[in-house]
Amino acid sequence: MAQPGILERLEILADAAKYDASCASSGTQKRDSRGGRGVGSTEGMGICHAYAPDGRCISLLKLLLTNHCIFDCHYCVNRKSSNVRRAGFTPQEVVDLTLSFYKRNYIEGLFLSSGIVRSSNHTMEQLIEVARTLRETHDFRGYIHLKTIPEADPDLVAQAGLWADRVSINVELPTEAGLLRLAPDKDAGRIEGTMGNLSAAIVDAKDARKHYRKAPRFAPAGQSTQMIVGADGASDAQIVGKASTLYDRFGLRRVYYSAFSPIPDASAVLPLKRPPLLREHRLYQSDWLIRFYGFAPLEVQQATSADGMLPLDIDPKLAWALKFRENFPVDLNRAPREALLRVPGLGTKAVKALLAARRHRTLRLEDVARVTVSLKKLRPFIVTVDWRPTLLTDRSDLRAGLAAPPRQLELFG
Ligand code: SF4
């Protein structure tokens, strides 16, 4: 059957890529084309579609090379047995599209993934071909994020890292049993093996560049992964545990959580409803607690209810504080940074500002009001020179007073 025209294929393959949440360009090296060399810049201004975790506004052309696939992952709209419209690009077409959008300043880079055609190795080779052509033939300086293809040879995955800023492989589901049930063609051991190889190559390349400035770069923006939330029965506690193991073992830059969204002609093994979007948000908050607030994974898991789920009506930091009330109130004038970071409603920037301010004066409630949006949320947990709350252990009404109103929860539902 004849392929649809390029614009129609672009529509199909950009739409097919929207289910992958794992693209953000944090941590990339700065490259630019000033001085008349090369094309593009990782720092350019353009139409922005996404914000990287470092606050930079980025826009990526997010595409699948093809949505044909020989695998049959139940949760995926592009699986072999799905009757979705199919399309594909050649590597050269993706190169041309990327350059043409780039030169018009629509994008700052490319996020390229693919269904699997013919074989994992063949598909991986095609993705590499896109990145290699962009870099070698066109001296492309923009951002490239390549998805690695499950089951592809380690040598090919290693080549991807030579051309891409970031590489990623999706762990997909938090438990091996879930992967076996919902993605029977994928192998948890091989996915983690690939992550291990990538991690070693990233460390080696960084080390080599410390000694030889001209040593080749390898995925300088690191690797990331994505976990689908709510397609299997895994609890939040299990997801938090899995994510922290991945961070520890493979030095991942990010774990992305993607709330499962029901797909057309869904397989009967999938839930009929999507989980509340707020669940995804709570998992991101718990991820931040571990990465930036000094919480151990076990502490976040302790904030879950008996069924292992994080509460939806309050954030995980508040849930932890309410469960471990003996740690409060925290004296903002004396407590160390680690204790301040545990106060619900105080972010890292607010803590930094308070630490700086208390070097020059004794903190009052009004100083706290200046660095936070919700003094009401903080009051029960802090002591300042002019404020001391009732003991938290005596406040049975506290949770109800601090929970998000039902209307706000509905907005995320
Ligand atoms: S391998 Fe990827 S594209 Fe193919 S069915 Fe599985 S998730 Fe979808």
Side-chain angles (χ1 to χ4, degrees):
M1 205 172 91
Q3 284 262 38
I6 196 124
L7 279 180
E8 211 173 322
R9 278 183 282 153
L10 185 58
E11 201 179 310
I12 295 169
L13 294 168
D15 188 66
K18 76 183 175 204
Y19 295 95
D20 201 313
S22 59
C23 64
S25 71
S26 60
T28 182
Q29 67 180 105
K30 291 180 177 174
R31 253 190 240 110
D32 68 53
S33 55
R34 276 174 299 191
R37 292 194 310 113
V39 180
S41 160
T42 53
E43 301 171 87
M45 305 288 284
I47 300 166
C48 299
H49 303 132
Y51 285 93
D54 60 2
R56 233 161 20 94
C57 196
I58 54 158
S59 51
L60 303 177
L61 174 60
K62 186 175 176 183
L63 273 188
L64 296 191
L65 184 70
T66 174
N67 65 347
H68 289 274
C69 194
I70 55 175
F71 279 19
D72 207 28
C73 309
H74 289 287
Y75 49 81
C76 178
V77 71
N78 302 316
R79 70 192 187 283
K80 182 172 61 181
S81 56
S82 162
N83 64 5
V84 74
R85 280 181 76 204
R86 305 284 176 176
F89 287 122
T90 63
Q92 188 57 47
E93 283 173 329
V94 176
V95 168
D96 294 343
L97 276 171
T98 307
L99 289 172
S100 107
F101 282 131
Y102 207 109
K103 287 174 181 169
R104 292 189 177 110
N105 210 19
Y106 292 167
I107 57 164
E108 294 168 78
L110 172 69
F111 172 93
L112 188 61
S113 181
S114 184
I116 304 173
V117 272
R118 277 197 239 165
S119 69
S120 295
N121 283 349
H122 170 77
T123 312
M124 194 70 238
E125 278 164 1
Q126 300 240 306
L127 296 184
I128 293 167
E129 178 66 12
V130 172
R132 191 192 57 73
T133 309
L134 280 168
R135 294 282 194 234
E136 265 194 352
T137 311
H138 301 280
D139 201 9
F140 180 74
R141 310 289 178 100
Y143 182 84
I144 299 179
H145 179 160
L146 285 188
K147 270 329 265 215
T148 64
I149 300 299
E151 316 291 314
D153 274 358
D155 285 355
L156 289 172
V157 175
Q159 280 183 46
L162 293 175
W163 307 113
D165 291 271
R166 177 168 286 184
V167 279
S168 58
I169 179 161
N170 286 351
V171 71
E172 306 288 22
L173 292 153
T175 65
E176 215 173 311
L179 192 74
L180 200 63
R181 199 164 73 89
L182 298 182
D185 301 304
K186 292 185 178 173
D187 180 309
R190 286 200 66 164
I191 291 173
E192 294 198 11
T194 302
M195 286 178 163
N197 293 338
L198 286 170
S199 165
I202 291 168
V203 171
D204 286 351
K206 272 198 185 133
D207 198 45
R209 282 183 69 86
K210 275 187 207 148
H211 298 98
Y212 313 102
R213 276 201 58 230
K214 296 210 165 145
R217 291 180 189 278
F218 187 93
Q223 62 166 323
S224 58
T225 193
Q226 169 178 281
M227 255 191 274
I228 302 165
V229 175
D232 62 350
S235 67
D236 291 342
Q238 282 175 303
I239 294 172
V240 168
K242 179 71 184 183
S244 78
T245 308
L246 294 174
Y247 279 122
D248 283 354
R249 285 183 61 201
F250 307 121
L252 298 187
R253 278 294 175 91
R254 288 292 303 272
V255 175
Y256 291 89
Y257 307 94
S258 176
F260 158 73
S261 39
I263 49 175
D265 305 319
S267 143
V269 298
L270 289 174
L272 292 175
K273 270 179 68 184
R274 66 178 302 154
L277 269 184
L278 195 51
R279 184 176 173 203
E280 182 185 294
H281 181 61
R282 295 295 182 228
L283 283 165
Y284 276 114
Q285 288 176 318
S286 68
D287 192 276
W288 278 59
L289 289 187
I290 295 168
R291 292 194 301 135
F292 302 113
Y293 287 77
F295 279 74
L298 182 62
E299 290 178 303
V300 174
Q301 288 167 326
Q302 284 168 338
T304 59
S305 339
D307 59 359
M309 303 301 274
L310 291 164
L312 294 180
D313 60 338
I314 53 174
D315 66 69
K317 197 179 181 192
L318 179 56
W320 182 85
L322 290 173
K323 238 180 186 173
F324 299 96
R325 297 179 181 213
E326 64 279 11
N327 294 293
F328 300 94
V330 168
D331 186 339
L332 296 190
N333 282 297
R334 294 171 197 277
R337 179 174 182 271
E338 305 77 65
L340 299 190
L341 285 172
R342 302 233 159 194
V343 175
L346 276 189
T348 49
K349 278 190 187 153
V351 167
K352 194 173 173 198
L354 291 175
L355 288 171
R358 81 183 189 187
R359 268 189 233 122
H360 309 291
R361 61 178 181 278
T362 309
L363 297 176
R364 308 177 71 82
L365 218 43
E366 65 191 33
D367 297 309
V368 186
R370 265 187 227 115
V371 297
T372 175
V373 282
S374 171
L375 193 56
K376 177 183 164 216
K377 189 172 174 183
L378 261 90
R379 273 174 184 263
F381 300 96
I382 57 170
V383 170
T384 56
V385 71
D386 56 344
W387 168 255
R388 177 170 286 277
T390 318
L391 264 188
L392 283 190
T393 39
D394 299 338
R395 297 275 313 268
S396 54
D397 60 324
L398 197 54
R399 191 183 198 286
L402 294 172
R407 163 105 185 93
Q408 214 165 314
L409 293 175
E410 276 163 29
L411 290 176
F412 274 96

